[in-house]
Amino acid sequence: MGYPLRDRVALGAALAAPLVVALLLVPFRAGLASTNLALILVVVVVAVAAIGNRVAGALAALSSAVWFDFFLARPFERFAITDPNDIATAVLLLAVGLAVSQLAARARRLHVVTMLDAGLLARIHDTAALAQSAGSPDAVVDQVSRHLVEILWLRGCRFEYGSLLGHPARLEQDGSVVLDRKPWDLEELGWPHGEIELRAAHNGRYVGRFMLRPTPGLVPSRQVRMVAVTLADDAGAALDTAGPVLDG
């Protein structure tokens, strides 16, 4: 699928930014300590890692160490360092740059997860509020179907009222999947072929099921799958008093 645009930009910056900054520092290399020059390049690594990913951060760290050697350490403009202190600085620049890039990339990931959690919680709240209102239960089913398609990256989703035909794979309450009553390794094997059953129930009473059509190769996290189960339960609560139910 390739890298997103933001990560492609970061990869380009990882190659170009340390070189540009090193060139800008050339007029000051005689008056500044090599450690200070290296710290400036660490800032570049942090900036690249913050907008990109670990690969971009690591590449920026390596690029910074290379151009520090070539432009800012004696003998200048040669890939050779004679001063032991400069050698230590170059090694530390690379090590610190790699470490900082990992931290920056992790901070970006945590930010994404936080935003994802907020979005999932909003879906749960909105669906629960709709289920508790006096509106049509069908509206809850429609809303849950849309949410399931979005958060589970489905190709489609339909709802069956009060029927249990066949033996499709099933998405369980804990976010796992079973097929023929046996656990299915979703992370390792991907979704099973065919539709996946997600039952809607309330107070132990089965009222229907969502039939999920997964997109091959796209498996959401267990956390997201458990949110899907919660949404299905909200639909079950809305449908509990609407029409016949089956014990399941």
Side-chain angles (χ1 to χ4, degrees):
M1 296 179 66
Y3 287 110
L5 176 60
R6 173 173 171 171
D7 288 342
R8 293 201 300 271
V9 171
L11 288 172
L15 293 172
L19 172 59
V20 171
V21 172
L23 287 172
L24 291 175
L25 291 174
V26 166
F28 308 100
R29 63 191 178 188
L32 288 176
S34 60
T35 52
N36 293 332
L37 297 171
L39 286 175
I40 294 173
L41 290 173
V42 168
V43 174
V44 177
V45 176
V46 173
V48 171
I51 66 170
N53 53 24
R54 287 180 174 83
V55 174
L59 186 59
L62 179 61
S63 179
S64 295
V66 168
W67 297 125
F68 172 82
D69 175 7
F70 190 78
F71 289 111
L72 306 177
R74 298 179 185 275
F76 297 133
E77 298 173 16
R78 289 177 55 192
F79 288 114
I81 304 178
T82 57
D83 189 332
N85 291 328
D86 286 344
I87 294 175
T89 299
V91 172
L92 287 173
L93 170 61
L94 178 59
V96 171
L98 290 173
V100 170
S101 72
Q102 294 293 315
L103 293 174
R106 178 173 174 81
R108 175 190 169 188
R109 181 178 180 275
L110 289 175
H111 174 71
V112 171
V113 169
T114 301
M115 296 298 292
L116 175 63
D117 288 349
L120 293 175
L121 288 173
R123 293 176 191 273
I124 294 173
H125 177 271
D126 292 346
T127 303
L130 182 60
Q132 294 171 6
S133 70
S136 168
D138 291 337
V140 180
V141 171
D142 289 342
Q143 176 168 297
V144 169
S145 295
R146 290 194 300 271
H147 286 334
L148 293 177
V149 168
E150 292 170 1
I151 69 174
L152 297 177
W153 306 320
L154 304 176
R155 291 183 296 169
C157 176
R158 60 187 178 86
F159 189 78
E160 294 181 350
Y161 290 88
S163 60
L164 272 174
L165 301 177
H167 301 282
R170 183 192 308 164
L171 181 58
E172 298 281 38
Q173 290 289 316
D174 62 356
S176 65
V177 171
V178 296
L179 178 62
D180 296 329
R181 299 185 179 181
K182 298 178 181 179
W184 178 268
D185 191 341
L186 189 58
E187 280 72 21
E188 180 68 22
L189 303 174
W191 292 104
H193 293 297
E195 291 183 313
I196 310 298
E197 175 188 80
L198 173 56
R199 295 185 178 184
H202 183 60
N203 291 332
R205 290 190 293 273
Y206 169 77
V207 296
R209 61 183 180 179
F210 293 91
M211 301 302 294
L212 317 176
R213 288 196 295 121
T215 301
L218 296 180
V219 177
S221 68
R222 180 180 288 265
Q223 175 196 34
V224 173
R225 301 196 301 268
M226 293 177 68
V227 169
V229 171
T230 301
L231 293 173
D233 287 343
D234 286 338
L239 290 165
D240 190 24
T241 57
V245 297
L246 300 175
D247 290 334

